[in-house]
Each structure stands twice: as structure tokens, then as C-alpha cells.
Amino acid sequence: MRRYLLLIASAVLAFGGATAVAADTQPAELFNASYDVTRAYFKSYNELFRQHYAAAHNGRKVSVYQSHAGASKQAMAIVNGLMADTVSLNQASDMLLLSRHNMVSKDWETKYPNHAVPFTSVTVILVRKGNPKNIHDWSDLLRSDVKFVMPNPKSSGTGRYAFLSLYGGIRHSVGDDATKVDAAMKRAMRNVPILANAGHGATNAFVTSQIGDALITLENEAHMAAEQYSPGQFEVIYPDYSVVVEGPVAVVDAVARKKGSEALADEYIKYMWSDAAQELAASLWLRPASEKVLARYHSRFPDIRAYRAVDEFGPWNRIKKDIFSDGGYFDQVYK
Amino acid sequence: MNLLTKKRAILPGLGLSLGLSVLGLSLMVFIPIVVMVFTAFEGGWDRFVEAVTDRRVLAAAWFSLRMSFYATLINLVFGSLVAWVLVRYRFPGRSLLNALVDLPFALPTAVTGVTLATLYAPTGLIGQMFAAEGIFGRIFGPTMIAFDAKGVVIALIVVTLPFMVRAVQPVLETLNHEFEEAATVLGATRGQTVRRVILPELVPAMIMGCGMMFARATGEYGSVIFIANNIPYDTEILPLVITGKLDQFNPQAASAVALLMLMISAVILLAVNIAQWHFQKRLVEAH
């Protein structure tokens, strides 16, 4: 028995020693949780960051693990124990949930430049080649001969932005008369044959299954569809008045502290503002936060009157409550 | 019978195996359900009632029940037919067909959903036959299958088919040919034999299959979500309403609706058990 104990003890010691020695040569690990339509960006960004990190830390390797799902699902998962060191969401309201549960610090918005938003997007309309239904603005989606697809605001952040843009755009063109706006919104939503489960699902229904005449989605997703999934088949229409999509990023402090990865996580987030990362965003049709890079890619990003959702509809917790919660405005439009 | 149970009881290992079973069931089934019930009633009875009597929830429940009913009805016929073919005929590829039946169990439901949505979309291999330019579209007028209630029924048919086949198949296998031969010798027509001799034996299994299919169909999410068009008050399934509530960070309402779904399933399973017991009794009496 004694011999066995000794054996086990020495094995444990040897193993412990080995890991202590290996700690510096072993790749550092980072887990980033993000929303659905950022796969392309983070796949390239992780590679970019790996190279940057190795160059800055004597060739030390870092493995970045990725998880993608609906933004609200990710926020909920982190609250429920998903061990993500960093998080990238597409709505401030989901970040508020994390800060309320002390997962990210209360001052997350001021920790990084541009309200902690490394790149933005706007809501646009994707139409078929040649724009056969002559769709140029939100008000065209009210016409009875138009059918359009969008993601479900109940389950998708992109869907919420799509609905807000439509609502804001119609309010802008119809005027302040609430009954007229409501009637117009009811008419618009009757033209929606599919509320897809997530942002990319809506793109699939429109692009692959050829459902509807238009798709409301984010600028980057629309350009990916028009220029990469099926080039030459679609056109991106910029409506006159559209919501800015702000995807905040943060270190999940509660997790990083536990894992001891605070410095690495902070570097991972900070590097998103580097020129290389900003150019990567621009190349994927995400509007870079850096003025300098944005100016260089100006031809890709037409100027439109874009507004922040909070300026038009009030703070995010009110938007979620008044518009998207059960019995909220979205539900009333369908009543 | 009594002798048998007594013998079982003196088998060694009862305490350990029973303990493990109860522990496992508690951890994985019982405790989660208790937690769900508690969450559903967080904030009292009124909040629960409010959540489950919401018009949108009721519309989704009604839609889920209707679609599940159609799928069950179709599989009652189609699934029994498949079982019949597999048991009664010998043909090349029979074991392959037999294995294929289980495929919907093995496939991730999301894969089933995406595949069906692609196939039955207006641009898909099957869907285009029903589009304006397709063969069926020209005869019957264009119709949507994917992104419509029809698509939901198709997804449910696929994911629930194995339940029916696997419920009926073993009973059919043990069904003695001699009964049928006797019926024929006594002058029964083939139709009478099926109605009077074969069907009564199969009915309990069919009822069980239908119950399991229906319960599974009302809760199915993964495959349906991709092929449905998810319009509120129209083609929204109940599980989608639940995930919608979770996305709004409202676990209480989500649990309340989940409990409603559980109660629906429980009622169905209870009804099935009663019906089965009733038929079994008749069968035993007839024997």
C-alpha cells in the first residue's frame, strides 16, 4: 500500500512539474462567444490575432475558440455559466444583461473606444437583380405586390434591427400620426411570408429558396450574399433612413478573472481597433470604427442617414420592453 | 405470476440497481421538471395563467396540436404500411429499408429540417414541381410546401415515422399465420380477415405508436423551425414561443408554456394508456 501511495505521489509530482515547465510553451487559450453573422469576421480575425500575439510575446502561441449563436442566447449562456473570456454581441441590451449579472464591468461602454463598438453596420434591403419590383425605400415594402423576408425579431438580433429600421423608416415617411403608422406597419408585416429563425436563415430563404422580392438584413450580410454567395444575382438597396447596428465587445471579467486570462482577453479585444483588424472588417463590409480606415474604404460604404436606435426609440431596455416583449408593439402589429 | 416476481426480488443487486436507476432518473428527469414547475409559478398562479392564456401562446398551441394530429394520422397509415411491408414480404434490400426507418432518429433534427426545407422550397428538387412552372403547379395551381404549414407536417411525418413502424413491427412479427389461415378456411374474405383478425391484434400497438408520435410531434423544434415560416398567430409552433420567451430573458413565462406543453403531452399519454389498456382487456377477453 505504501509503495502504491509513493508511486502515485511521485506521479503527481512529476505531472505537476511537467505542467509547470510546459505552461509557457503551451498555447494560451481564449474562448470568444459571438453572435450569428460574425463567423467570417472572427475566423480571419483570430488568425490575425494569433500572428500579432506571437510577434508580441516571443512566439507564444494562442488558440482562440469560437462559439456562435443568437446574441441573446449567448448572453444568457454566459450568465448560466458558459466560460467565455470575451464576448461580442450585436445589441447593447444583451450587454446590459451581462453587466447586471456582474459578468462584465458596469463601465464596459467606456473601457474601449467608440462605446466599445469596433465596427458597425446599417440595415439595408437586398433585392433581386435589376430590382424588378422597383424597391428603393421602406415605404415600397408596404405595396401589396411586394413580399419580403426578414429574421424573426423574437429570436434574432438582426430581426430586431430589421423591424426597428422598418418601423423608424415608416414613421419617418408617414409622419407622427400613430394610427397611420400602425396601419402601415400592419400592411407591411402582412407582406412577410417568412420570419426566419436567425439572420442567416432569412438570407438562405431569400437567396437559395428564392422566397420573396426583398430581404431586410444587415449591410455586411447583404453584400456577402450579393458578392460572394451568388455574385451578380442581387442588388443592395440603401434606404434613405436606417438604424445603425452597433455590436459592442467586452471582456467577460467574471470568467477571465477565474481563468487568469484577463490580460490576454484585454489584448484580444483591444487589437480589434488595430489598422489590420479594421481593414479586415471593412473588407467584409463591416463599417470600421477607425475614421482613417473608413475614409480609405469610403466607396464601399455609401453615406445614408443612419441613426442610433436609442436616439429614435429610447434606451434599449425600453425598446425591448415596449416593442419586442410579449404583448409589445411587434405583437400588436400582428393582432 | 406471483412466483416470478418473488424470484426477482431475491435476485442480488436490487438495492444497488434500483438506487442507481432512481438517482439517474431524479438527476435527469425528475429534478429538472420540478425546477421547471417552480420557475413556472415564480410570481404566483396569476403570472402562470397570464403566460399560458396569452392569445399568441394559445394560437401556437392550437397550431402545434393540429399539425401533430395530421402527421400522426398520416403516419398511422403510412407507418403501419411500412411495418407490414418489412414483416410480410421478402425482397432484396429489405434489411436496408429496415435500417433506413431509424435514420430520422440518428440524424440531428436540424439536418433533417434544413434538408427538407431545401428539397421542398420552390427552388428545390421536389418543391419546384409544385411551383408555378412545375408539373403539379400547372395542374393544381402553384403551392408552397416549405415555409408553409404543409412543410411543418412533412417535417413531423419524417421525425415521427420510426415510432409507428417500431411499435407495430414486433406485434406483426409475432402474429401467427395460423389465425389467418383458420379465418380463410372458415370462409372469411381477405378484407374480413384483416378487419377481424389482424387489426384487433395491432390496435394496441397502433395506439401506442400514435401516442408517442403525437407527444414527440408537439415538442419537435429542430427540424420544424427551418421549414416553417413562423408567422405569429398563424404558423408558429409552441416550442418556438418558448425559445422566444427565453430570448427575452423571461424564464418564468417560458417554463409556464413548457409546463402547458408537458400537460398536453401527459394528457395524451394518459389517454393512450387508457385506450391501450381497454383494447388489451378486450383482446384478452376475446382470447
Side-chain angles (χ1 to χ4, degrees):
Chain A
M1 191 65 201
R2 242 177 57 245
R3 235 179 51 208
Y4 278 116
L5 272 179
L6 212 73
L7 213 83
I8 291 169
S10 57
V12 166
L13 271 177
F15 186 69
T19 47
V21 171
D24 239 41
T25 49
Q26 284 238 315
E29 281 183 5
L30 189 81
F31 185 45
N32 179 46
S34 182
Y35 53 100
D36 202 34
V37 292
T38 49
R39 279 187 185 82
Y41 172 79
F42 278 106
K43 209 176 134 203
S44 306
Y45 176 72
N46 290 343
E47 187 49 46
L48 213 59
F49 179 70
R50 251 198 302 275
Q51 287 164 12
H52 161 75
Y53 193 80
H57 295 84
N58 305 323
R60 176 126 198 251
K61 287 202 180 87
V62 56
S63 326
V64 183
Y65 297 96
Q66 267 305 120
S67 148
H68 293 275
S72 304
K73 274 191 197 71
Q74 291 288 43
M76 199 71 161
I78 290 173
V79 169
N80 285 333
L82 179 74
M83 294 297 268
D85 305 272
T86 56
V87 65
S88 148
L89 299 169
N90 65 356
Q91 245 172 250
S93 60
D94 294 324
M95 208 59 103
L96 290 177
L97 177 91
L98 290 179
S99 76
R100 212 169 46 236
H101 284 85
N102 294 317
M103 301 303 290
V104 306
S105 65
K106 300 272 180 236
D107 58 346
W108 60 270
E109 220 171 341
T110 55
K111 280 215 161 161
Y112 300 98
N114 317 92
H115 309 285
V117 175
F119 45 77
T120 62
S121 191
V122 291
T123 323
V124 298
I125 305 172
L126 189 68
V127 298
R128 303 198 186 281
K129 191 172 124 190
N131 198 357
K133 290 283 173 90
N134 214 8
I135 295 162
H136 296 285
D137 208 351
W138 302 114
S139 53
D140 290 317
L141 300 179
L142 303 178
R143 294 198 327 244
S144 57
D145 64 323
V146 171
K147 292 257 175 273
F148 66 97
V149 178
M150 60 182 261
N152 195 339
K154 291 271 182 183
S155 57
S156 152
T158 309
R160 284 192 272 276
Y161 278 114
F163 187 80
L164 287 178
S165 276
L166 182 69
Y167 187 26
I170 284 176
R171 245 174 25 179
H172 190 66
S173 63
V174 170
D176 280 335
D177 189 342
T179 40
K180 268 193 196 159
V181 172
D182 294 350
M185 284 305 285
K186 274 185 204 285
R187 207 148 19 111
M189 294 315 284
R190 265 205 298 276
N191 290 340
V192 181
I194 301 171
L195 287 172
N197 198 29
H200 199 66
T203 313
N204 265 338
F206 180 69
V207 170
T208 316
S209 303
Q210 307 267 321
I211 308 280
D213 309 300
L215 165 77
I216 308 183
T217 190
L218 306 190
E219 186 182 28
N220 60 313
E221 176 78 353
H223 277 286
M224 288 296 267
E227 267 122 277
Q228 292 199 350
Y229 307 148
S230 37
Q233 296 297 304
F234 299 95
E235 285 173 29
V236 181
I237 302 291
Y238 282 89
D240 183 39
Y241 193 67
S242 177
V243 174
V244 184
V245 178
E246 293 177 309
V249 290
V251 173
V252 185
D253 295 302
V255 174
R257 213 175 302 130
K258 214 180 283 172
K259 287 205 213 163
S261 59
E262 287 137 305
L264 174 64
D266 179 59
E267 251 179 280
Y268 182 77
I269 297 284
K270 234 181 228 147
Y271 191 63
M272 287 184 194
W273 274 268
S274 69
D275 278 2
Q278 290 283 307
E279 296 226 2
L280 169 70
S283 74
L284 294 168
W285 289 280
L286 291 159
R287 297 184 174 220
S290 150
E291 301 273 341
K292 194 176 73 189
V293 178
L294 183 63
R296 210 175 311 145
Y297 285 85
H298 191 255
S299 58
R300 282 181 98 120
F301 301 110
D303 285 322
I304 61 169
R305 270 192 291 173
Y307 56 92
R308 295 184 74 195
V310 286
D311 295 337
E312 174 92 18
F313 303 102
W316 268 109
N317 50 12
R318 261 196 44 212
I319 294 178
K320 283 205 94 169
K321 190 164 167 288
D322 295 349
I323 300 182
F324 298 116
S325 71
D326 288 336
Y329 187 71
F330 175 74
D331 284 1
Q332 282 165 31
V333 165
Y334 268 104
K335 263 189 183 152
Chain B
M1 193 68 192
N2 233 337
L3 216 75
L4 209 82
T5 42
K6 257 192 181 163
K7 243 186 192 164
R8 277 245 175 100
I10 55 166
L11 265 180
L14 172 72
L16 185 66
S17 53
L18 183 68
L20 276 176
S21 310
V22 170
L23 177 72
L25 279 176
S26 306
L27 285 178
M28 288 181 288
V29 182
F30 186 64
I31 294 175
I33 289 178
V34 169
V35 171
M36 190 188 83
V37 172
F38 267 104
T39 321
F41 287 101
E42 237 168 48
W45 174 254
D46 291 346
R47 294 265 316 267
F48 172 78
V49 173
E50 195 189 327
V52 297
T53 53
D54 176 44
R55 249 193 65 217
R56 190 165 168 194
V57 170
L58 293 178
W62 179 229
F63 179 73
S64 278
L65 288 176
R66 257 167 40 227
M67 295 306 116
S68 306
F69 179 73
Y70 296 147
T72 305
L73 212 62
I74 292 169
N75 268 349
L76 171 63
V77 178
F78 184 58
S80 307
L81 181 72
V82 173
W84 177 263
V85 168
L86 284 175
V87 172
R88 283 298 163 98
Y89 302 101
R90 292 292 172 270
F91 52 93
R94 180 175 151 273
S95 44
L96 186 74
L97 191 70
N98 194 22
L100 268 179
V101 170
D102 284 329
L103 205 62
F105 276 161
L107 275 180
T109 48
V111 173
T112 312
V114 171
T115 312
L116 289 175
T118 316
L119 269 181
Y120 286 92
T123 50
L125 204 60
I126 302 174
Q128 63 184 353
M129 293 185 206
F130 294 89
E133 298 296 303
I135 336 165
F136 300 113
R138 277 199 205 141
I139 304 169
F140 305 108
T143 170
M144 291 268 275
I145 297 186
F147 313 118
D148 187 85
K150 292 186 217 67
V152 176
V153 177
I154 287 181
L156 293 179
I157 289 174
V158 174
V159 295
T160 58
L161 178 72
F163 285 105
M164 193 66 204
V165 179
R166 295 301 181 231
V168 172
Q169 208 176 4
V171 182
L172 258 181
E173 260 158 13
T174 54
L175 201 65
N176 216 326
H177 276 278
E178 285 150 21
F179 289 132
E180 285 165 62
E181 281 159 15
T184 317
V185 168
L186 292 171
T189 63
R190 190 65 191 150
Q192 276 174 324
T193 313
V194 170
R195 226 174 39 246
R196 292 276 193 41
V197 179
I198 301 175
L199 266 185
E201 294 280 344
L202 289 186
V203 164
M206 283 174 161
I207 293 174
M208 192 183 76
C210 284
M212 290 202 304
M213 285 197 296
F214 197 88
R216 168 71 201 266
T218 50
E220 174 61 21
Y221 178 76
S223 61
V224 173
I225 214 66
F226 292 99
I227 201 168
N229 52 345
N230 311 321
I231 302 295
Y233 300 103
D234 186 24
T235 53
E236 231 178 11
I237 54 166
L238 204 50
L240 175 65
V241 174
I242 296 177
T243 52
K245 287 182 191 303
L246 283 176
D247 276 347
Q248 292 167 57
F249 309 132
N250 191 353
Q252 181 270 329
S255 303
V257 179
L259 191 60
L260 173 75
M261 222 168 85
L262 192 71
M263 290 192 300
I264 293 172
S265 297
V267 169
I268 295 162
L269 288 177
L270 186 73
V272 164
N273 274 320
I274 291 173
Q276 223 193 345
W277 172 76
H278 174 78
F279 275 100
Q280 209 95 52
K281 212 176 75 178
R282 260 184 47 185
L283 210 64
V284 171
E285 276 164 11
H287 280 298

